[in-house]
Amino acid sequence: MKTLIVPTDFSPIATNAMNYAVDMALSINASVLLLHVYQVPVTFSEVPVTVVTVEEMKKMSEEKLEELKQGIKKNTAGKIKVYTEARLGDVVDEIEALCKSIQPFAVIMGTKGASVVERLFLGSSTLTAIRHLTWPVIIVPPGATFNGIRKIGFACDFKKVVETTPVKFIKDVVKEFNAELHVLNVDYNNKQFTPATPEESLLLHTMLEELKPGYHFINNPNVEEGINKFAEENSLGLIIVIPKKHKMLDGLFQKSHSKEFAFHSHIPILAVHE
């Protein structure tokens, strides 16, 4: 059975991502695993303070997770299986370890605020870990809701497509949601066009031909703006990106204009490695 792993810090943003995941789980007949990673608080004050023990933190985490679990069961009339897990450690390390054990359909998390994603995106060590996760990560913008996914965009720069395109995964996702696939290439006055571009585009079409994708060449000097505008105007439900490869997402998990794309987009982003 497919499983969606949903890391949570119990913030409103994380809860919104959880609600998105629950609705997706109902749609694709998947189970949900709620994960909370807690850390031992470090105090530097000379004034004596009451320190919460690890056992107390674990108990509080488990109680909050159970509350979320019961809420999901009530709201879905028990239609999906919900599991919970509280772990002590580093957020990314624990997500990675759980993914290896569970092999989820996707990890789903929110953005902004004091949420899991913000903690993930800060610091080079966690940044490196999330960029090397071999499981798909769906980034849910604030306020986004799951209403089915009828159109999926795939951001592509037509470079080394055979080596870098996760063809099987794209096919699986498109078929799972019975969606249309739209290949999106953003350029400005053909500045990125090379002699190899026609061959690369043909190779991509050959690999994805059974999905009958539509191809859209967007003329915009700003890649994320071009993608966002197309996504909004054409009601895309999801945008697939390759963090390690696509120029738009070289900095998806870094402090750059690409990170702003992930945080400001109204469309959920599915980051998957080749």
Side-chain angles (χ1 to χ4, degrees):
M1 187 178 189
K2 295 180 291 291
T3 301
L4 303 175
I5 293 179
V6 186
T8 181
D9 60 1
F10 310 113
S11 68
I13 293 297
T15 299
N16 181 68
M18 179 192 73
N19 292 334
Y20 181 96
V22 168
D23 288 338
M24 178 181 286
L26 285 168
S27 173
I28 65 174
N29 190 31
S31 61
V32 169
L33 193 159
L34 303 177
L35 169 68
H36 176 65
V37 180
Y38 57 94
Q39 286 128 355
V40 178
V42 179
T43 59
F44 299 96
S45 173
E46 295 181 1
V47 180
V49 294
T50 302
V51 178
V52 180
T53 66
V54 172
E55 290 75 16
E56 289 172 325
M57 292 185 69
K58 180 177 177 62
K59 182 180 178 182
M60 288 188 293
S61 298
E62 289 175 341
E63 288 175 349
K64 288 182 179 180
L65 286 170
E66 182 62 25
E67 185 178 338
L68 291 178
K69 176 180 177 178
Q70 294 306 320
I72 293 172
K73 284 192 169 184
K74 181 180 178 180
N75 293 334
T76 63
K79 291 181 180 177
I80 63 173
K81 292 184 178 180
V82 183
Y83 305 93
T84 63
E85 186 148 354
R87 293 189 173 199
L88 170 67
D90 174 80
V91 177
V92 176
D93 288 347
E94 296 307 319
I95 293 175
E96 190 170 27
L98 190 57
C99 281
K100 288 180 180 179
S101 173
I102 301 298
Q103 299 189 14
F105 178 76
V107 176
I108 300 182
M109 55 184 67
T111 63
K112 290 187 177 179
S115 66
V116 173
V117 166
E118 186 172 47
R119 296 209 303 268
L120 287 176
F121 288 165
L122 298 177
S124 59
S125 60
T126 53
L127 184 156
T128 301
I130 195 68
R131 283 174 63 89
H132 288 85
L133 272 177
T134 54
W135 285 267
V137 178
I138 296 178
I139 304 167
V140 181
T145 58
F146 181 86
N147 298 305
I149 297 175
R150 289 169 285 278
K151 296 180 180 180
I152 297 174
F154 170 49
C156 181
D157 59 6
F158 294 126
K159 295 178 180 177
K160 298 182 179 180
V161 296
V162 174
E163 300 94 322
T164 61
T165 305
V167 176
K168 183 182 183 303
F169 179 78
I170 291 175
K171 288 181 178 180
D172 289 346
V173 169
V174 171
K175 291 176 182 177
E176 185 69 56
F177 294 107
N178 192 28
E180 299 174 4
L181 178 64
H182 297 265
V183 177
L184 313 178
N185 175 259
V186 181
D187 197 353
Y188 187 62
N189 296 335
N190 291 323
K191 288 184 178 180
Q192 300 299 322
F193 188 92
T194 70
T197 301
E199 181 181 358
E200 291 288 332
S201 61
L202 181 60
L203 287 170
L204 182 70
H205 179 71
T206 300
M207 292 188 294
L208 299 176
E209 188 172 10
E210 68 180 88
L211 300 177
K212 299 179 181 178
Y215 292 85
H216 308 273
F217 300 90
I218 303 165
N219 193 51
N220 195 308
N222 185 289
V223 177
E224 51 274 23
E225 180 182 293
I227 295 284
N228 246 334
K229 186 177 180 181
F230 181 92
E232 295 286 355
E233 291 177 350
N234 293 274
S235 302
L236 297 190
L238 193 66
I239 302 171
I240 298 175
V241 296
I242 305 173
K244 290 199 297 184
K245 186 240 183 188
H246 199 281
K247 65 179 181 180
M248 178 186 73
L249 290 164
D250 277 346
L252 174 60
F253 304 117
Q254 302 174 18
K255 292 183 178 180
S256 71
H257 63 284
S258 300
K259 179 185 175 185
E260 292 174 8
F261 172 84
F263 278 14
H264 295 163
S265 172
H266 299 298
I267 314 297
I269 296 170
L270 196 169
V272 59
H273 294 282
E274 65 269 19

